[in-house]
Amino acid sequence: MKNEQITIEDVPQDRIAENATIHAGCKLFGANTLVCRGAELGYEAPVTLKNCYVGPGVKLKGGYFENAVFLEGAKAGSGSHVRAGTILEEQAGIAHTVGLKQTILFPFVTLGSLINFCDCFMAGGTSRKNHSEVGSSYIHFNYTPNQDKATASLIGDVPHGVMLDQAPIFLGGQGGLVGPCRLAYGTVIAAGSIYRKDQLNPNRLVFEGGGRGGSVPYTTGIYRNVKRPAMATFVYLANLVALMAWYTQVRRLFVGKEFPEPLYKGLTETLAMAIHERVKRFVGFCDKLPESLKMYKAQMGDSVSAILIEQKKQLFDNRNKAAEVIDQYLDTLKIADQSEFSNSIEHKLTANRSDYLTTIKKLSIDDRHLGVDWLSRIVDDVTEQLLGIFPVIR
């Protein structure tokens, strides 16, 4: 459908709610596009929407959005550029001129303006008044000089993050995070810092100075450390698999009028897309290791570490087995019996059905511990299975 003000192509009519608001200049494409009740598109500037799932009350104020999911109450400001594999859960928000791709933001997480934040997972916080935040003019550096993206950063984690009871994480403005990094809940990175390390101890203020000037010998294409990006990828993938377990065993219990089946389907399919993207990037990283090793030997001669040689060889030789491990685990989730935790949640819903955020926030301490233990076991199991393929990475 096309008129003088709005373009709609290949979007089934029944996938756009009658009480959604679509302002002049917007363009909607794709058979998968879904716009739920109370959503508003294009209030500040035109929106282009392609195969996105827009939940109830979502406000996309202006920009380009493709193959992404926005759950109830999520917001995006003008100039947004949101691409494949991105999920904004309930009440997560980004301000104007923010670029996202393969990014997952848990409820309440807020990003300021003028930000590039691709290949990240971020959680933390308990409400709109107590949330994880990324300051304006922030960058997640997700592309290396060796031209790979085995760089996804885990800011928080899935097992604790889904409980919506963790201390917020704050990444100060005019700064950056060099992926892959892992940050614990309660981490505060001072404004202006370019941070390159993991911070696994909670509730820490960390900062980086300008550093010393100068130069050192460097050859593009040589990997001097493969353990860090490989291990970071394994842990990140394990967390996404745990999130799939949460979606299929817990989120699905809330499917109904306020969380329709097509939105749930889009959520799980987009997460699967994100998982496969990380596997693809890992394999691409491993593909470069033989040439890297050849270059390193030519440069370093007999002083090349034997452990590094074995690490590169093992990663390259077994690189495709990682996908097999992940696919097999995802298949088990499709047929697995409900966990003790999801059975407990379902019982509570039967007695008193309420919305997702309210239900999770009302969980007892025992239920929270049960859920964290369940998801943590998945993370540990997937990580161990991947390390079983690449034991030299331990």
Side-chain angles (χ1 to χ4, degrees), residues 62-112:
Y64 180 81
F65 307 88
E66 180 176 2
N67 293 320
V69 179
F70 305 87
L71 298 186
E72 184 172 10
K75 296 181 180 180
S78 294
S80 298
H81 196 258
V82 178
R83 294 175 288 162
T86 295
I87 297 171
L88 270 63
E89 292 197 359
E90 288 86 354
Q91 299 182 35
I94 60 177
H96 71 81
T97 324
V98 174
L100 306 178
K101 183 181 180 184
Q102 303 296 332
T103 304
I104 299 174
L105 304 181
F106 265 17
F108 317 124
V109 174
T110 300
L111 274 58

Side-chain angles (χ1 to χ4, degrees), residues 183-195:
L183 302 180
Y185 291 107
T187 298
V188 175
I189 298 182
S193 297
I194 305 296
Y195 202 69

Side-chain angles (χ1 to χ4, degrees), residues 54-67:
V54 181
V58 169
K59 297 184 184 299
L60 306 181
K61 297 181 180 181
Y64 180 81
F65 307 88
E66 180 176 2
N67 293 320

Side-chain angles (χ1 to χ4, degrees), residues 172-227:
Q174 200 70 36
L177 187 67
V178 182
C181 285
R182 296 166 59 194
L183 302 180
Y185 291 107
T187 298
V188 175
I189 298 182
S193 297
I194 305 296
Y195 202 69
R196 295 171 167 83
K197 305 172 184 177
D198 292 340
Q199 178 51 249
L200 301 181
N201 294 319
N203 304 311
R204 304 286 293 180
L205 170 64
V206 297
F207 50 89
E208 289 285 324
R212 293 178 296 175
S215 64
V216 296
Y218 181 82
T219 302
T220 300
I222 293 179
Y223 293 86
R224 291 170 172 80
N225 183 344
V226 296
K227 180 175 181 177

Side-chain angles (χ1 to χ4, degrees), residues 32-66:
N32 290 331
T33 290
L34 177 74
V35 181
C36 294
R37 62 155 188 90
E40 184 176 22
L41 308 180
Y43 179 76
E44 296 178 348
V47 161
T48 298
L49 196 72
K50 184 177 181 180
N51 288 322
C52 286
Y53 302 84
V54 181
V58 169
K59 297 184 184 299
L60 306 181
K61 297 181 180 181
Y64 180 81
F65 307 88
E66 180 176 2

Side-chain angles (χ1 to χ4, degrees), residues 326-354:
I326 298 300
D327 287 342
Q328 288 173 4
Y329 210 102
L330 291 175
D331 286 341
T332 64
L333 294 180
K334 296 176 183 177
I335 60 176
D337 293 333
Q338 283 187 253
S339 67
E340 185 179 353
F341 175 80
S342 57
N343 278 327
S344 174
I345 291 294
E346 188 166 27
H347 174 72
K348 290 178 172 61
L349 287 174
T350 301
N352 183 23
R353 179 172 289 274
S354 57

